Amino acid sequence: MSHVDGFWSPFKPVDDKGGYLPLEDHGLIGDGATAALVGLDGAIWWMCLPRFDSPPVFCSILDRKRGGRFVMTPDGLVEARQRYEPDSGVLATEMRAPTGVVRVTDALTLRRGADLTEDATAARGELLRSATVLEGEVRLRISVQPRGGASASLRGDGLQVRCDRLPNLDLQLAATQPLDGLETVVTLRAGQQLHVVLRCGWVRHRGHDWRPDEVMQATLDSWRAWTRHFSYAGPHEPLVRRSAITLKLLDHFASGAIVAAPTSSLPEAIGGSRNWDYRYTWVRDAAFSVYALHRIGLHREAWGFLGWVLDAIDRVGGPGVMYDLAGTLPPAELVDAELEGYRRSPPVRWGNGAAAQRQNDVYGEIIDCAYQWLRGGGTIDPQLGGRLRTLAESARTVWRTPDQGIWEVRTPGRVFTYSAAMCHVALDRAAKMAEHLGATADAATWATEAAQVRQAILAEAWDPRRSSLTEHLGGGGLDASLLTLPLRRVIPATHPKMVATVAAITDRLGAGGGLLYRYLPEESPDGLAGHEGAFVLCSFWLVDNLALQGRLDEAGTLFDSLCARAGPLGLLSEQIDPTSGAFLGNYPQAFSHVGVISSGINLGRQLERVT
């Protein structure tokens, strides 16, 4: 399977599995304000307006009948294929019908000359869908069905669309041929084109010289100017490049925040209830993302994300688990009983209850962000320095306090090893930059306490019966997040207890084919019913550990196998069904693409050292 931009995947039948496409049969487009999923069938299955965390206008991926979608599909669709236009977030879908072939090119368009390295809005606020018939003749069905229904009336050269559920959303629909309304069928022959645009927000209608080909080209030009900053020399360069573009598609350009995923409530197991809203920004994602972005030449994105995190902390006055795009707490978690869920896997949730949890790792995540900020040439003003000193002192006092951990369990808190390790990171990094925090006198205390936390992990999380570190201080089950300890410089990958832990996790949490479960709920209760798939990022952490241990052949083989699991467009979900290989969880997942980039970098560096 090739993930090289510009090359088509083979035509395949459009398999809707009872009304739903496989997740991997969707491509992602975006404009730095929001994103959309385009199915292999030519339909927009998901789009929130005006931004990532707004209510969805189209969400048929969560309910095929009631969710709503934007369809541009030929009658009698038989098979289809997709590709990205090279080095861009513009997606093309070719669909074959009995009478001909049509290509639909989709873009959330960008302003002419937009510089995507700037922390500034680049979006035009429009979805452009351009259809070209390549062979024969097709009857192209155009259907705009927002969730909850809509009405249309003439406005300027197009239609004003009023959504029943979102009465304050100003939408306009226009095309290069007259539309009958929200449902139109147009017959096109080889060489003929039709451009359809859905705009959000007020625009000028009369006398507006709309040139869709130029708008599409300007969008491509902006993307390609941005990708020239990409710099990487290592294994699977095309997939690493596509992962970088995917992270950019999840970047809220104006603020610098990166959402964990553009979707909500895609299930971690079909028929299960582990369904969460990921359209927010987690603090813990920051350090991993910044590491990845910085090392592939995307310095502005790295510093933009760091700055956003530190601003959010400064604004709120204390550490949070996650934030919305405005840097405030996400809304309370609600269940939407109207929607049946992807492939009938309820509940559908909006908001995220984990925002109110105690997660002690945030102290280390935030201070590590500040440490990277300083190493990159940034400065810390006295007010922020005071905040960071307070966080370091908090880490010194809370590292033995129970919390919900990295995996956000919904059981009473425990003293998670990962959380304690990140408190070590907080103290270690604070000691290293104490002068910049105005806390020179505290450096020795913080360094001593960091060493004590590290020793406690090695002694108290170690289970001699398992021959492994475990999820809690004092014992417990195995936890794949322990694979991050060498990556965060808590315990070296070559330490005997770390080597043994890697072996135990590989054996006990292995799901087959190089995949890993993050933990086993029967051994590590999380307060949730059912089970989940293998967590993609954990396997990339395993690649990193193998590489750092000098097991380069094993690391390379595993990395190859993981890259081969990416979908035809080079996209990855949060989780994978170990039995079928199908994607599970929210999609595409930023963390999975961070894993592609980071493991490619780490493996490439280790390979350089032995050649």
Side-chain angles (χ1 to χ4, degrees), residues 95-327:
M95 293 169 280
R96 188 187 303 278
T99 57
V101 178
V102 62
R103 175 185 298 166
V104 175
T105 302
D106 285 298
L108 283 161
T109 60
L110 304 174
R111 290 182 292 102
R112 186 185 308 277
D115 182 351
L116 304 193
T117 66
E118 293 182 342
D119 288 339
T121 300
R124 291 169 55 93
E126 64 180 28
L127 167 65
L128 175 58
R129 314 201 69 192
S130 298
T132 304
V133 176
L134 305 178
E135 300 175 17
E137 177 182 287
V138 299
R139 281 171 47 86
L140 191 67
R141 183 165 58 92
I142 303 161
S143 175
V144 180
Q145 308 164 3
R147 181 188 177 188
S151 59
S153 57
L154 289 174
R155 184 179 182 185
D157 298 327
L159 301 172
Q160 181 174 18
V161 181
R162 291 291 187 189
C163 301
D164 294 348
R165 291 182 64 94
L166 302 170
N168 295 323
L169 192 65
D170 189 4
L171 296 180
Q172 303 92 41
L173 184 69
T176 50
Q177 292 188 28
L179 299 174
D180 297 333
L182 299 181
E183 302 278 345
T184 300
V185 176
V186 177
T187 299
L188 299 172
R189 296 177 177 82
Q192 290 185 314
Q193 286 188 314
L194 173 67
H195 303 281
V196 182
V197 64
L198 181 66
R199 299 189 178 100
C200 178
W202 184 88
V203 294
R204 182 161 50 91
H205 296 277
R206 292 174 179 83
H208 180 62
D209 185 15
W210 180 51
R211 299 179 180 179
D213 288 330
E214 293 183 9
V215 171
M216 186 71 78
Q217 188 59 53
T219 300
L220 287 167
D221 290 345
S222 289
W223 275 109
R224 288 167 181 165
W226 177 81
T227 57
R228 285 197 288 272
H229 296 276
F230 174 84
S231 175
Y232 172 82
H236 292 279
E237 190 273 346
L239 186 59
V240 173
R241 178 182 292 266
R242 177 47 54 187
S243 291
I245 296 170
T246 302
L247 288 182
K248 189 63 177 175
L249 286 166
L250 301 178
D251 180 11
H252 187 246
F253 294 175
S255 68
I258 298 175
V259 297
T263 54
S264 175
S265 302
L266 295 178
E268 297 173 3
I270 300 304
S273 59
R274 296 166 179 255
N275 313 329
W276 314 109
D277 191 347
Y278 275 13
R279 299 171 302 145
Y280 308 109
T281 298
W282 270 251
V283 169
R284 77 169 52 91
D285 294 16
F288 285 109
S289 299
V290 166
Y291 170 89
L293 293 168
H294 183 56
R295 283 160 179 78
I296 56 174
L298 304 182
H299 307 296
R300 295 288 290 273
E301 285 72 20
W303 305 140
F305 194 10
L306 277 177
W308 180 87
V309 170
L310 297 176
D311 283 346
I313 302 306
D314 207 11
R315 184 184 307 110
V316 175
V321 173
M322 71 184 81
Y323 298 90
D324 68 10
L325 298 175

Side-chain angles (χ1 to χ4, degrees), residues 25 181 362 391 518 537:
D25 283 352
V362 297
L391 292 176
R518 44 187 181 169
L537 179 60

